[in-house]
Amino acid sequence: MSTTAYGNLAGRTAVVTGAASGMGEATARLLAARGAKVALLARRTERLDALAGKIAADGGRALAVTVDVTDEASVRAAAGQVRDAYGPADLVVNAAGVMLPNPIDAGRSDEWARMVDTNLTGALRIIDAFRDDLLAAGAEGRPADLVNVSSIGAHLTFPGYAVYSATKAALTHLSASLRAEFGPRRVRVTNIEPGLTDTELGGHIDNAELSAQLDGMFQAFPEALTSDDIADLIAYVTSRPAHVNLRQVIVLPTGQA
């Protein structure tokens, strides 16, 4: 874990999607360690319960909330659970995502729909569910943060990753547009675009060639980013003074850069 100094996180109420693993899990752990009350949102109940237990054992506060971001009713119910337990949120991290690469001519419309519904529409559902909370915090002069975890794929082209990259490009542009709407109302919007990061995402690939290609990238860049690196950035940007918005963070392994 990083030794970066963070301020202004104690007492915050954070919502982290994708909290069952990877960047979401690491972010939830770090925010809780720095004094935030953290709602852990993801589909895998057992993992969420285990993480909530670990955070509590370390002296933090965490609420496990099983949710499917592709289901509107599930998201609404989750938002209600969070407010009942912790009150309105003032820090929301959209870290849920799936990466299912295949060439377009494979015709995998099932994967296209899943990526769009999770990576883009799922993020929108979470934003909509907690929008009023964030705007109320901003109106009261308190820190209010929306963090969207996008990807360097929003800017670069990788054969086989067209739809995944398109969803991330859309999320990046959504962040910019929301910043124009929310910034004047004192809600910060930060878009984070990691490069090669060691998470579970690669394990979902069902294309042997692309899976081997990704493995080769990790061999070529053995010092890839970790989930803790991304958590460190999220904790840093959300703990700046309320008038400071680090709007866009592109983070790559030094070798890949």
Side-chain angles (χ1 to χ4, degrees):
M1 194 68 69
S2 170
T3 57
T4 299
Y6 311 105
N8 301 329
L9 289 175
R12 302 282 300 269
T13 299
V15 173
V16 181
T17 70
S21 65
M23 301 176 194
E25 178 184 354
T27 299
R29 283 192 288 104
L30 182 52
L31 295 179
R34 297 296 172 171
K37 296 174 292 185
V38 184
L40 314 170
L41 273 60
R43 293 176 301 155
R44 293 177 286 184
T45 303
E46 289 185 4
R47 286 205 177 193
L48 292 181
D49 288 341
L51 177 58
K54 290 177 184 176
I55 289 173
D58 290 336
R61 296 182 64 185
L63 175 72
V65 182
T66 304
V67 64
D68 180 353
V69 298
T70 69
D71 184 288
E72 179 72 25
S74 178
V75 171
R76 290 291 168 188
Q81 285 182 254
V82 173
R83 291 192 191 94
D84 287 345
Y86 288 158
D90 57 35
L91 198 169
V92 176
V93 180
N94 269 316
V98 291
M99 183 176 73
L100 306 168
N102 260 309
I104 285 293
D105 57 12
R108 293 296 300 272
S109 59
D110 58 328
E111 293 180 339
W112 306 342
R114 185 177 169 196
M115 285 188 283
V116 170
D117 209 18
T118 303
N119 300 354
L120 179 58
T121 314
L124 279 167
R125 291 187 183 99
I126 292 294
I127 292 165
D128 188 45
F130 293 99
R131 176 196 61 239
D132 290 345
D133 292 6
L134 293 175
L135 291 172
E140 293 167 9
R142 297 185 286 114
D145 288 281
L146 169 64
V147 179
N148 291 325
V149 180
S150 180
S151 167
I152 191 61
H155 302 287
L156 303 180
T157 56
F158 302 98
Y161 288 78
V163 178
Y164 172 76
S165 294
T167 64
K168 292 302 187 177
L171 185 60
T172 289
H173 194 73
L174 175 66
S175 296
S177 297
L178 289 178
R179 196 174 301 113
E181 293 188 27
F182 290 174
R185 298 154 85 180
R186 296 183 58 83
V187 175
R188 300 184 289 203
V189 181
T190 297
N191 192 67
I192 295 183
E193 296 180 346
L196 188 66
T197 308
D198 190 6
T199 70
E200 283 187 357
L201 283 183
H204 302 156
I205 299 174
D206 69 0
N207 181 303
E209 181 180 350
L210 290 173
S211 181
Q213 182 185 80
L214 184 61
D215 289 342
M217 290 183 67
F218 281 108
Q219 292 173 15
F221 302 108
E223 292 186 336
L225 298 174
T226 68
S227 294
D228 283 341
D229 293 328
I230 307 307
D232 174 60
L233 281 175
I234 292 172
Y236 181 79
V237 301
T238 57
S239 62
R240 298 308 89 202
H243 69 287
V244 177
N245 184 184
L246 291 169
R247 52 173 285 169
Q248 174 89 349
V249 181
I250 300 174
V251 52
L252 304 174
T254 300
Q256 186 183 18

